[in-house]
Amino acid sequence: MPDWCYTSSEGDGTWYFNRARACAIDTLVVNVINVPTGEPSGQILYQTNEYIYTNPESGTWGHQLAIRLVTQWGATAGTTVEGDATCEGTCSLSASDIDFPSQPLSQSSLPYGDALPATTATTAGAVGEAKSAMYWEFKNTQWAKQPGLNRSQVPMPIRCDNNTKGVSKVGCVFKDYVPTNVVSLSGLYPNYARHIKEAQQSGLPGAYPDGQPLTRQTDSAAATTNRRTACPQAANGGYPRPTGYSCDEYPFASTHEGAASNEDLGRTFSWCQISALTSRTGPGWSACMIPATENTAAGRDDLRPFYNANRVLEKDAFYVWIVD
């Protein structure tokens, strides 16, 4: 599991997740009871380390479970553990994609199970959700009654789709985690980042972590309307473009919060070279002239890959975090 799984968990079974990964560590006990007397005759204290990983370019995800023995005493020698897996929802899981054979339980080994569920939401435009579960059971020939199956299911749905705009492959994510696009003021797009930062500081949405998130707009015609509202061409009564510059709008044209949603509430900043707009705070949108090559590259090489890698679908929420 990733390091953040261990540093986040308190061993109480709480699930932690991001857009692509989820994990949980739980601490559990098996009590062995002498049936005639009702007295304890042994105990196993163990941890389950559970991990799920998705892939934005694959319709299959992995679900793993490891059993770590902490302590044991009494009538527990020779205990083995084995397991199984299932998936519920828009998915399939064949027996050949489950590997959790019988293994000895000891502090010198780490019994382990693995499953590879796959989405059935594969046709063009399809979107489906699923949850996978792992099962495990302890067995011991000394015990008159075996304890039966234990079950753990990921509580957050895994969404797989063949509907991400501009992406031809099926992929999967944890849809309940709101992704964040991180852009650096000292990176490849400093003017783009500066515009977003000042626009967010003026009251516009999308700022991580406390702002109102943006939501994706995938309709091309609506995006064009947003763009023409924020950045009309000079030939159509809009702003002249200084040589080597192009007009950048925020919120992005590819969001429902774009300029057309508040078309009369435009703003700009003193360094942005747009005299037709003034400063403003609160709802609305912002426009700014930034170097054209930077503006194009930011959309092509930063925002679009972010959408694709996080499978950001229509109305999916996301943040933009401007860092130094």
mmCIF file of all heavy atoms in Angstrom, residues 52-103:
data_model
loop_
_atom_site.group_PDB
_atom_site.id
_atom_site.type_symbol
_atom_site.label_atom_id
_atom_site.label_comp_id
_atom_site.label_asym_id
_atom_site.label_seq_id
_atom_site.Cartn_x
_atom_site.Cartn_y
_atom_site.Cartn_z
ATOM 1 N N ILE A 52 -7.119 -0.929 -2.746
ATOM 2 C CA ILE A 52 -7.761 -0.969 -4.064
ATOM 3 C C ILE A 52 -7.108 0.078 -4.951
ATOM 4 O O ILE A 52 -6.895 1.217 -4.527
ATOM 5 C CB ILE A 52 -9.267 -0.692 -3.962
ATOM 6 C CG1 ILE A 52 -9.946 -1.765 -3.114
ATOM 7 C CG2 ILE A 52 -9.915 -0.634 -5.349
ATOM 8 C CD1 ILE A 52 -11.419 -1.513 -2.881
ATOM 9 N N TYR A 53 -6.762 -0.296 -6.157
ATOM 10 C CA TYR A 53 -6.156 0.637 -7.099
ATOM 11 C C TYR A 53 -6.909 0.581 -8.427
ATOM 12 O O TYR A 53 -7.235 -0.475 -8.943
ATOM 13 C CB TYR A 53 -4.670 0.326 -7.314
ATOM 14 C CG TYR A 53 -4.381 -1.079 -7.787
ATOM 15 C CD1 TYR A 53 -4.283 -1.379 -9.145
ATOM 16 C CD2 TYR A 53 -4.207 -2.116 -6.865
ATOM 17 C CE1 TYR A 53 -4.020 -2.669 -9.587
ATOM 18 C CE2 TYR A 53 -3.940 -3.399 -7.293
ATOM 19 C CZ TYR A 53 -3.848 -3.676 -8.646
ATOM 20 O OH TYR A 53 -3.591 -4.964 -9.078
ATOM 21 N N THR A 54 -7.236 1.760 -8.948
ATOM 22 C CA THR A 54 -7.900 1.869 -10.241
ATOM 23 C C THR A 54 -6.915 2.411 -11.267
ATOM 24 O O THR A 54 -5.797 2.796 -10.947
ATOM 25 C CB THR A 54 -9.120 2.800 -10.159
ATOM 26 O OG1 THR A 54 -8.670 4.147 -9.910
ATOM 27 C CG2 THR A 54 -10.065 2.375 -9.048
ATOM 28 N N ASN A 55 -7.379 2.457 -12.513
ATOM 29 C CA ASN A 55 -6.536 2.930 -13.612
ATOM 30 C C ASN A 55 -7.409 3.763 -14.550
ATOM 31 O O ASN A 55 -8.440 3.285 -15.019
ATOM 32 C CB ASN A 55 -5.936 1.741 -14.369
ATOM 33 C CG ASN A 55 -4.898 2.143 -15.392
ATOM 34 O OD1 ASN A 55 -4.977 3.209 -16.003
ATOM 35 N ND2 ASN A 55 -3.907 1.286 -15.598
ATOM 36 N N PRO A 56 -7.022 5.024 -14.831
ATOM 37 C CA PRO A 56 -7.849 5.851 -15.713
ATOM 38 C C PRO A 56 -7.848 5.369 -17.161
ATOM 39 O O PRO A 56 -8.624 5.889 -17.971
ATOM 40 C CB PRO A 56 -7.214 7.238 -15.601
ATOM 41 C CG PRO A 56 -5.793 6.975 -15.234
ATOM 42 C CD PRO A 56 -5.828 5.761 -14.359
ATOM 43 N N GLU A 57 -7.012 4.376 -17.470
ATOM 44 C CA GLU A 57 -6.967 3.851 -18.839
ATOM 45 C C GLU A 57 -7.236 2.348 -18.867
ATOM 46 O O GLU A 57 -6.798 1.645 -19.768
ATOM 47 C CB GLU A 57 -5.609 4.153 -19.479
ATOM 48 C CG GLU A 57 -5.370 5.649 -19.672
ATOM 49 C CD GLU A 57 -4.105 5.940 -20.452
ATOM 50 O OE1 GLU A 57 -3.314 5.004 -20.677
ATOM 51 O OE2 GLU A 57 -3.915 7.096 -20.845
ATOM 52 N N SER A 58 -7.954 1.854 -17.874
ATOM 53 C CA SER A 58 -8.292 0.432 -17.837
ATOM 54 C C SER A 58 -9.630 0.241 -17.152
ATOM 55 O O SER A 58 -9.947 0.936 -16.176
ATOM 56 C CB SER A 58 -7.222 -0.364 -17.090
ATOM 57 O OG SER A 58 -7.626 -1.718 -16.913
ATOM 58 N N GLY A 59 -10.404 -0.711 -17.634
ATOM 59 C CA GLY A 59 -11.682 -1.032 -17.029
ATOM 60 C C GLY A 59 -11.577 -2.070 -15.934
ATOM 61 O O GLY A 59 -12.599 -2.539 -15.428
ATOM 62 N N THR A 60 -10.363 -2.439 -15.558
ATOM 63 C CA THR A 60 -10.129 -3.407 -14.491
ATOM 64 C C THR A 60 -9.487 -2.706 -13.301
ATOM 65 O O THR A 60 -8.652 -1.828 -13.481
ATOM 66 C CB THR A 60 -9.210 -4.533 -14.986
ATOM 67 O OG1 THR A 60 -9.845 -5.220 -16.065
ATOM 68 C CG2 THR A 60 -8.903 -5.536 -13.882
ATOM 69 N N TRP A 61 -9.886 -3.064 -12.106
ATOM 70 C CA TRP A 61 -9.207 -2.544 -10.923
ATOM 71 C C TRP A 61 -8.714 -3.706 -10.058
ATOM 72 O O TRP A 61 -9.170 -4.843 -10.196
ATOM 73 C CB TRP A 61 -10.105 -1.610 -10.120
ATOM 74 C CG TRP A 61 -11.325 -2.201 -9.482
ATOM 75 C CD1 TRP A 61 -11.449 -2.689 -8.206
ATOM 76 C CD2 TRP A 61 -12.623 -2.342 -10.079
ATOM 77 N NE1 TRP A 61 -12.724 -3.119 -7.976
ATOM 78 C CE2 TRP A 61 -13.470 -2.910 -9.099
ATOM 79 C CE3 TRP A 61 -13.155 -2.033 -11.330
ATOM 80 C CZ2 TRP A 61 -14.814 -3.184 -9.348
ATOM 81 C CZ3 TRP A 61 -14.484 -2.300 -11.577
ATOM 82 C CH2 TRP A 61 -15.301 -2.870 -10.603
ATOM 83 N N GLY A 62 -7.791 -3.423 -9.170
ATOM 84 C CA GLY A 62 -7.245 -4.433 -8.281
ATOM 85 C C GLY A 62 -7.740 -4.257 -6.868
ATOM 86 O O GLY A 62 -7.864 -3.132 -6.374
ATOM 87 N N HIS A 63 -8.043 -5.368 -6.209
ATOM 88 C CA HIS A 63 -8.461 -5.355 -4.800
ATOM 89 C C HIS A 63 -7.607 -6.376 -4.069
ATOM 90 O O HIS A 63 -7.642 -7.572 -4.378
ATOM 91 C CB HIS A 63 -9.950 -5.699 -4.701
ATOM 92 C CG HIS A 63 -10.546 -5.387 -3.359
ATOM 93 N ND1 HIS A 63 -11.887 -5.097 -3.182
ATOM 94 C CD2 HIS A 63 -9.994 -5.330 -2.108
ATOM 95 C CE1 HIS A 63 -12.123 -4.862 -1.899
ATOM 96 N NE2 HIS A 63 -10.987 -5.009 -1.234
ATOM 97 N N GLN A 64 -6.833 -5.917 -3.099
ATOM 98 C CA GLN A 64 -5.877 -6.770 -2.403
ATOM 99 C C GLN A 64 -6.165 -6.761 -0.905
ATOM 100 O O GLN A 64 -6.602 -5.754 -0.349
ATOM 101 C CB GLN A 64 -4.443 -6.281 -2.638
ATOM 102 C CG GLN A 64 -4.055 -6.231 -4.108
ATOM 103 C CD GLN A 64 -2.684 -5.601 -4.323
ATOM 104 O OE1 GLN A 64 -2.184 -4.885 -3.465
ATOM 105 N NE2 GLN A 64 -2.097 -5.865 -5.471
ATOM 106 N N LEU A 65 -5.869 -7.885 -0.273
ATOM 107 C CA LEU A 65 -6.024 -7.995 1.175
ATOM 108 C C LEU A 65 -4.872 -8.823 1.729
ATOM 109 O O LEU A 65 -4.603 -9.928 1.246
ATOM 110 C CB LEU A 65 -7.354 -8.669 1.533
ATOM 111 C CG LEU A 65 -7.590 -8.918 3.027
ATOM 112 C CD1 LEU A 65 -7.902 -7.603 3.735
ATOM 113 C CD2 LEU A 65 -8.723 -9.916 3.246
ATOM 114 N N ALA A 66 -4.191 -8.284 2.735
ATOM 115 C CA ALA A 66 -3.131 -9.009 3.429
ATOM 116 C C ALA A 66 -3.528 -9.156 4.895
ATOM 117 O O ALA A 66 -4.100 -8.243 5.494
ATOM 118 C CB ALA A 66 -1.797 -8.280 3.313
ATOM 119 N N ILE A 67 -3.209 -10.314 5.481
ATOM 120 C CA ILE A 67 -3.508 -10.610 6.879
ATOM 121 C C ILE A 67 -2.195 -10.626 7.655
ATOM 122 O O ILE A 67 -1.330 -11.463 7.389
ATOM 123 C CB ILE A 67 -4.205 -11.972 7.033
ATOM 124 C CG1 ILE A 67 -5.452 -12.071 6.141
ATOM 125 C CG2 ILE A 67 -4.528 -12.249 8.501
ATOM 126 C CD1 ILE A 67 -6.605 -11.241 6.579
ATOM 127 N N ARG A 68 -2.056 -9.713 8.588
ATOM 128 C CA ARG A 68 -0.823 -9.647 9.385
ATOM 129 C C ARG A 68 -1.107 -10.100 10.807
ATOM 130 O O ARG A 68 -1.913 -9.497 11.520
ATOM 131 C CB ARG A 68 -0.258 -8.231 9.400
ATOM 132 C CG ARG A 68 1.108 -8.130 10.090
ATOM 133 C CD ARG A 68 1.671 -6.728 9.995
ATOM 134 N NE ARG A 68 0.988 -5.806 10.884
ATOM 135 C CZ ARG A 68 1.293 -5.633 12.181
ATOM 136 N NH1 ARG A 68 2.268 -6.357 12.728
ATOM 137 N NH2 ARG A 68 0.640 -4.762 12.918
ATOM 138 N N LEU A 69 -0.454 -11.180 11.216
ATOM 139 C CA LEU A 69 -0.604 -11.684 12.577
ATOM 140 C C LEU A 69 0.141 -10.765 13.542
ATOM 141 O O LEU A 69 1.324 -10.481 13.360
ATOM 142 C CB LEU A 69 -0.057 -13.097 12.684
ATOM 143 C CG LEU A 69 -0.045 -13.711 14.089
ATOM 144 C CD1 LEU A 69 -1.457 -13.839 14.644
ATOM 145 C CD2 LEU A 69 0.660 -15.066 14.077
ATOM 146 N N VAL A 70 -0.559 -10.316 14.598
ATOM 147 C CA VAL A 70 0.064 -9.491 15.632
ATOM 148 C C VAL A 70 0.515 -10.379 16.786
ATOM 149 O O VAL A 70 1.702 -10.462 17.105
ATOM 150 C CB VAL A 70 -0.899 -8.391 16.129
ATOM 151 C CG1 VAL A 70 -0.233 -7.526 17.207
ATOM 152 C CG2 VAL A 70 -1.340 -7.507 14.964
ATOM 153 N N THR A 71 -0.425 -11.057 17.429
ATOM 154 C CA THR A 71 -0.096 -12.012 18.498
ATOM 155 C C THR A 71 -1.089 -13.166 18.444
ATOM 156 O O THR A 71 -2.206 -13.033 17.916
ATOM 157 C CB THR A 71 -0.162 -11.366 19.894
ATOM 158 O OG1 THR A 71 -1.489 -10.872 20.127
ATOM 159 C CG2 THR A 71 0.845 -10.220 20.017
ATOM 160 N N GLN A 72 -0.691 -14.292 19.052
ATOM 161 C CA GLN A 72 -1.600 -15.410 19.214
ATOM 162 C C GLN A 72 -1.174 -16.222 20.434
ATOM 163 O O GLN A 72 -0.006 -16.206 20.823
ATOM 164 C CB GLN A 72 -1.615 -16.304 17.971
ATOM 165 C CG GLN A 72 -0.290 -16.973 17.661
ATOM 166 C CD GLN A 72 -0.373 -17.860 16.432
ATOM 167 O OE1 GLN A 72 -1.439 -18.177 15.939
ATOM 168 N NE2 GLN A 72 0.794 -18.290 15.951
ATOM 169 N N TRP A 73 -2.133 -16.896 21.045
ATOM 170 C CA TRP A 73 -1.811 -17.768 22.166
ATOM 171 C C TRP A 73 -2.865 -18.871 22.244
ATOM 172 O O TRP A 73 -3.941 -18.783 21.668
ATOM 173 C CB TRP A 73 -1.741 -16.999 23.491
ATOM 174 C CG TRP A 73 -3.018 -16.334 23.926
ATOM 175 C CD1 TRP A 73 -3.427 -15.075 23.633
ATOM 176 C CD2 TRP A 73 -4.067 -16.912 24.722
ATOM 177 N NE1 TRP A 73 -4.656 -14.812 24.182
ATOM 178 C CE2 TRP A 73 -5.070 -15.920 24.881
ATOM 179 C CE3 TRP A 73 -4.254 -18.151 25.334
ATOM 180 C CZ2 TRP A 73 -6.243 -16.139 25.595
ATOM 181 C CZ3 TRP A 73 -5.416 -18.377 26.056
ATOM 182 C CH2 TRP A 73 -6.399 -17.374 26.182
ATOM 183 N N GLY A 74 -2.528 -19.936 22.974
ATOM 184 C CA GLY A 74 -3.462 -21.024 23.204
ATOM 185 C C GLY A 74 -3.654 -21.912 21.987
ATOM 186 O O GLY A 74 -2.729 -22.155 21.202
ATOM 187 N N ALA A 75 -4.886 -22.372 21.804
ATOM 188 C CA ALA A 75 -5.212 -23.365 20.771
ATOM 189 C C ALA A 75 -5.358 -22.718 19.403
ATOM 190 O O ALA A 75 -6.427 -22.741 18.774
ATOM 191 C CB ALA A 75 -6.492 -24.104 21.156
ATOM 192 N N THR A 76 -4.252 -22.144 18.926
ATOM 193 C CA THR A 76 -4.281 -21.464 17.627
ATOM 194 C C THR A 76 -3.190 -21.950 16.682
ATOM 195 O O THR A 76 -3.164 -21.541 15.521
ATOM 196 C CB THR A 76 -4.114 -19.949 17.809
ATOM 197 O OG1 THR A 76 -2.859 -19.679 18.438
ATOM 198 C CG2 THR A 76 -5.242 -19.379 18.670
ATOM 199 N N ALA A 77 -2.288 -22.798 17.158
ATOM 200 C CA ALA A 77 -1.214 -23.291 16.295
ATOM 201 C C ALA A 77 -1.795 -24.045 15.110
ATOM 202 O O ALA A 77 -2.778 -24.782 15.238
ATOM 203 C CB ALA A 77 -0.269 -24.188 17.088
ATOM 204 N N GLY A 78 -1.206 -23.831 13.937
ATOM 205 C CA GLY A 78 -1.661 -24.511 12.734
ATOM 206 C C GLY A 78 -2.830 -23.837 12.030
ATOM 207 O O GLY A 78 -3.383 -24.386 11.064
ATOM 208 N N THR A 79 -3.201 -22.642 12.465
ATOM 209 C CA THR A 79 -4.302 -21.926 11.817
ATOM 210 C C THR A 79 -3.908 -21.510 10.401
ATOM 211 O O THR A 79 -2.785 -21.062 10.155
ATOM 212 C CB THR A 79 -4.687 -20.680 12.628
ATOM 213 O OG1 THR A 79 -5.098 -21.082 13.946
ATOM 214 C CG2 THR A 79 -5.815 -19.928 11.961
ATOM 215 N N THR A 80 -4.840 -21.669 9.485
ATOM 216 C CA THR A 80 -4.654 -21.195 8.108
ATOM 217 C C THR A 80 -5.737 -20.174 7.782
ATOM 218 O O THR A 80 -6.746 -20.073 8.485
ATOM 219 C CB THR A 80 -4.730 -22.356 7.105
ATOM 220 O OG1 THR A 80 -6.030 -22.967 7.192
ATOM 221 C CG2 THR A 80 -3.642 -23.387 7.384
ATOM 222 N N VAL A 81 -5.506 -19.426 6.714
ATOM 223 C CA VAL A 81 -6.496 -18.448 6.266
ATOM 224 C C VAL A 81 -6.612 -18.533 4.747
ATOM 225 O O VAL A 81 -5.619 -18.742 4.044
ATOM 226 C CB VAL A 81 -6.119 -17.017 6.717
ATOM 227 C CG1 VAL A 81 -4.779 -16.577 6.154
ATOM 228 C CG2 VAL A 81 -7.209 -16.013 6.348
ATOM 229 N N GLU A 82 -7.817 -18.422 4.244
ATOM 230 C CA GLU A 82 -8.071 -18.421 2.812
ATOM 231 C C GLU A 82 -9.246 -17.506 2.533
ATOM 232 O O GLU A 82 -9.947 -17.075 3.463
ATOM 233 C CB GLU A 82 -8.365 -19.834 2.313
ATOM 234 C CG GLU A 82 -9.571 -20.469 2.966
ATOM 235 C CD GLU A 82 -9.682 -21.945 2.626
ATOM 236 O OE1 GLU A 82 -8.932 -22.747 3.219
ATOM 237 O OE2 GLU A 82 -10.525 -22.254 1.755
ATOM 238 N N GLY A 83 -9.474 -17.199 1.257
ATOM 239 C CA GLY A 83 -10.521 -16.226 1.001
ATOM 240 C C GLY A 83 -11.114 -16.269 -0.390
ATOM 241 O O GLY A 83 -10.812 -17.149 -1.207
ATOM 242 N N ASP A 84 -11.927 -15.260 -0.659
ATOM 243 C CA ASP A 84 -12.652 -15.150 -1.926
ATOM 244 C C ASP A 84 -12.943 -13.668 -2.152
ATOM 245 O O ASP A 84 -12.621 -12.817 -1.321
ATOM 246 C CB ASP A 84 -13.944 -15.954 -1.859
ATOM 247 C CG ASP A 84 -14.491 -16.340 -3.227
ATOM 248 O OD1 ASP A 84 -13.932 -15.857 -4.238
ATOM 249 O OD2 ASP A 84 -15.467 -17.096 -3.284
ATOM 250 N N ALA A 85 -13.565 -13.347 -3.270
ATOM 251 C CA ALA A 85 -13.903 -11.959 -3.588
ATOM 252 C C ALA A 85 -15.148 -11.926 -4.456
ATOM 253 O O ALA A 85 -15.460 -12.888 -5.164
ATOM 254 C CB ALA A 85 -12.743 -11.278 -4.302
ATOM 255 N N THR A 86 -15.868 -10.813 -4.394
ATOM 256 C CA THR A 86 -17.039 -10.595 -5.233
ATOM 257 C C THR A 86 -17.063 -9.130 -5.664
ATOM 258 O O THR A 86 -16.345 -8.295 -5.118
ATOM 259 C CB THR A 86 -18.355 -10.900 -4.488
ATOM 260 O OG1 THR A 86 -18.450 -10.035 -3.354
ATOM 261 C CG2 THR A 86 -18.414 -12.345 -4.045
ATOM 262 N N CYS A 87 -17.903 -8.818 -6.627
ATOM 263 C CA CYS A 87 -18.173 -7.423 -6.956
ATOM 264 C C CYS A 87 -19.660 -7.261 -7.203
ATOM 265 O O CYS A 87 -20.340 -8.197 -7.644
ATOM 266 C CB CYS A 87 -17.352 -6.950 -8.162
ATOM 267 S SG CYS A 87 -17.853 -7.615 -9.744
ATOM 268 N N GLU A 88 -20.155 -6.066 -6.860
ATOM 269 C CA GLU A 88 -21.570 -5.755 -7.012
ATOM 270 C C GLU A 88 -21.719 -4.511 -7.875
ATOM 271 O O GLU A 88 -20.939 -3.559 -7.744
ATOM 272 C CB GLU A 88 -22.214 -5.493 -5.643
ATOM 273 C CG GLU A 88 -22.132 -6.670 -4.697
ATOM 274 C CD GLU A 88 -22.651 -6.334 -3.305
ATOM 275 O OE1 GLU A 88 -23.094 -5.175 -3.116
ATOM 276 O OE2 GLU A 88 -22.603 -7.201 -2.429
ATOM 277 N N GLY A 89 -22.710 -4.494 -8.740
ATOM 278 C CA GLY A 89 -22.937 -3.342 -9.598
ATOM 279 C C GLY A 89 -22.585 -3.648 -11.039
ATOM 280 O O GLY A 89 -22.716 -4.791 -11.504
ATOM 281 N N THR A 90 -22.103 -2.639 -11.737
ATOM 282 C CA THR A 90 -21.778 -2.778 -13.160
ATOM 283 C C THR A 90 -20.383 -3.365 -13.295
ATOM 284 O O THR A 90 -19.414 -2.674 -13.600
ATOM 285 C CB THR A 90 -21.862 -1.402 -13.848
ATOM 286 O OG1 THR A 90 -23.090 -0.775 -13.485
ATOM 287 C CG2 THR A 90 -21.814 -1.540 -15.361
ATOM 288 N N CYS A 91 -20.279 -4.686 -13.043
ATOM 289 C CA CYS A 91 -18.960 -5.315 -13.019
ATOM 290 C C CYS A 91 -19.090 -6.818 -13.190
ATOM 291 O O CYS A 91 -20.179 -7.385 -13.102
ATOM 292 C CB CYS A 91 -18.236 -5.005 -11.706
ATOM 293 S SG CYS A 91 -19.095 -5.619 -10.236
ATOM 294 N N SER A 92 -17.961 -7.444 -13.405
ATOM 295 C CA SER A 92 -17.882 -8.897 -13.447
ATOM 296 C C SER A 92 -16.582 -9.324 -12.781
ATOM 297 O O SER A 92 -15.606 -8.570 -12.759
ATOM 298 C CB SER A 92 -17.932 -9.416 -14.889
ATOM 299 O OG SER A 92 -16.801 -8.960 -15.618
ATOM 300 N N LEU A 93 -16.582 -10.523 -12.225
ATOM 301 C CA LEU A 93 -15.386 -11.053 -11.574
ATOM 302 C C LEU A 93 -15.398 -12.564 -11.710
ATOM 303 O O LEU A 93 -16.204 -13.251 -11.076
ATOM 304 C CB LEU A 93 -15.349 -10.650 -10.093
ATOM 305 C CG LEU A 93 -14.163 -11.151 -9.269
ATOM 306 C CD1 LEU A 93 -12.841 -10.669 -9.856
ATOM 307 C CD2 LEU A 93 -14.295 -10.705 -7.816
ATOM 308 N N SER A 94 -14.536 -13.074 -12.564
ATOM 309 C CA SER A 94 -14.477 -14.510 -12.787
ATOM 310 C C SER A 94 -13.586 -15.170 -11.749
ATOM 311 O O SER A 94 -12.713 -14.531 -11.137
ATOM 312 C CB SER A 94 -13.950 -14.806 -14.193
ATOM 313 O OG SER A 94 -12.615 -14.351 -14.318
ATOM 314 N N ALA A 95 -13.785 -16.476 -11.554
ATOM 315 C CA ALA A 95 -13.001 -17.229 -10.578
ATOM 316 C C ALA A 95 -11.515 -17.194 -10.900
ATOM 317 O O ALA A 95 -10.669 -17.204 -9.994
ATOM 318 C CB ALA A 95 -13.502 -18.675 -10.517
ATOM 319 N N SER A 96 -11.188 -17.126 -12.184
ATOM 320 C CA SER A 96 -9.776 -17.104 -12.581
ATOM 321 C C SER A 96 -9.082 -15.799 -12.221
ATOM 322 O O SER A 96 -7.853 -15.716 -12.247
ATOM 323 C CB SER A 96 -9.652 -17.357 -14.084
ATOM 324 O OG SER A 96 -10.325 -16.340 -14.819
ATOM 325 N N ASP A 97 -9.859 -14.778 -11.886
ATOM 326 C CA ASP A 97 -9.291 -13.486 -11.507
ATOM 327 C C ASP A 97 -9.303 -13.270 -9.996
ATOM 328 O O ASP A 97 -9.172 -12.143 -9.521
ATOM 329 C CB ASP A 97 -10.040 -12.349 -12.200
ATOM 330 C CG ASP A 97 -9.743 -12.290 -13.692
ATOM 331 O OD1 ASP A 97 -8.590 -12.559 -14.062
ATOM 332 O OD2 ASP A 97 -10.664 -12.001 -14.476
ATOM 333 N N ILE A 98 -9.469 -14.346 -9.253
ATOM 334 C CA ILE A 98 -9.407 -14.310 -7.785
ATOM 335 C C ILE A 98 -8.304 -15.252 -7.338
ATOM 336 O O ILE A 98 -8.267 -16.420 -7.747
ATOM 337 C CB ILE A 98 -10.738 -14.735 -7.147
ATOM 338 C CG1 ILE A 98 -11.889 -13.868 -7.665
ATOM 339 C CG2 ILE A 98 -10.652 -14.669 -5.620
ATOM 340 C CD1 ILE A 98 -13.266 -14.373 -7.258
ATOM 341 N N ASP A 99 -7.411 -14.771 -6.515
ATOM 342 C CA ASP A 99 -6.291 -15.587 -6.035
ATOM 343 C C ASP A 99 -6.152 -15.391 -4.528
ATOM 344 O O ASP A 99 -5.561 -14.422 -4.067
ATOM 345 C CB ASP A 99 -5.002 -15.171 -6.748
ATOM 346 C CG ASP A 99 -3.814 -16.035 -6.346
ATOM 347 O OD1 ASP A 99 -4.028 -17.153 -5.855
ATOM 348 O OD2 ASP A 99 -2.663 -15.585 -6.516
ATOM 349 N N PHE A 100 -6.752 -16.296 -3.767
ATOM 350 C CA PHE A 100 -6.654 -16.214 -2.298
ATOM 351 C C PHE A 100 -6.650 -17.640 -1.742
ATOM 352 O O PHE A 100 -7.573 -18.080 -1.074
ATOM 353 C CB PHE A 100 -7.826 -15.417 -1.731
ATOM 354 C CG PHE A 100 -7.582 -14.819 -0.370
ATOM 355 C CD1 PHE A 100 -8.345 -13.752 0.072
ATOM 356 C CD2 PHE A 100 -6.602 -15.322 0.486
ATOM 357 C CE1 PHE A 100 -8.143 -13.190 1.315
ATOM 358 C CE2 PHE A 100 -6.390 -14.778 1.732
ATOM 359 C CZ PHE A 100 -7.159 -13.705 2.148
ATOM 360 N N PRO A 101 -5.570 -18.395 -2.002
ATOM 361 C CA PRO A 101 -5.517 -19.794 -1.564
ATOM 362 C C PRO A 101 -5.277 -19.916 -0.058
ATOM 363 O O PRO A 101 -4.952 -18.937 0.622
ATOM 364 C CB PRO A 101 -4.327 -20.335 -2.346
ATOM 365 C CG PRO A 101 -3.422 -19.144 -2.506
ATOM 366 C CD PRO A 101 -4.353 -17.973 -2.699
ATOM 367 N N SER A 102 -5.412 -21.121 0.464
ATOM 368 C CA SER A 102 -5.135 -21.388 1.867
ATOM 369 C C SER A 102 -3.654 -21.148 2.155
ATOM 370 O O SER A 102 -2.784 -21.627 1.427
ATOM 371 C CB SER A 102 -5.501 -22.832 2.213
ATOM 372 O OG SER A 102 -5.177 -23.110 3.553
ATOM 373 N N GLN A 103 -3.391 -20.383 3.226
ATOM 374 C CA GLN A 103 -2.014 -20.036 3.600
ATOM 375 C C GLN A 103 -1.867 -20.106 5.112
ATOM 376 O O GLN A 103 -2.817 -19.812 5.846
ATOM 377 C CB GLN A 103 -1.683 -18.617 3.122
ATOM 378 C CG GLN A 103 -1.773 -18.443 1.614
ATOM 379 C CD GLN A 103 -1.967 -16.982 1.223
ATOM 380 O OE1 GLN A 103 -1.026 -16.203 1.245
ATOM 381 N NE2 GLN A 103 -3.200 -16.608 0.866
#
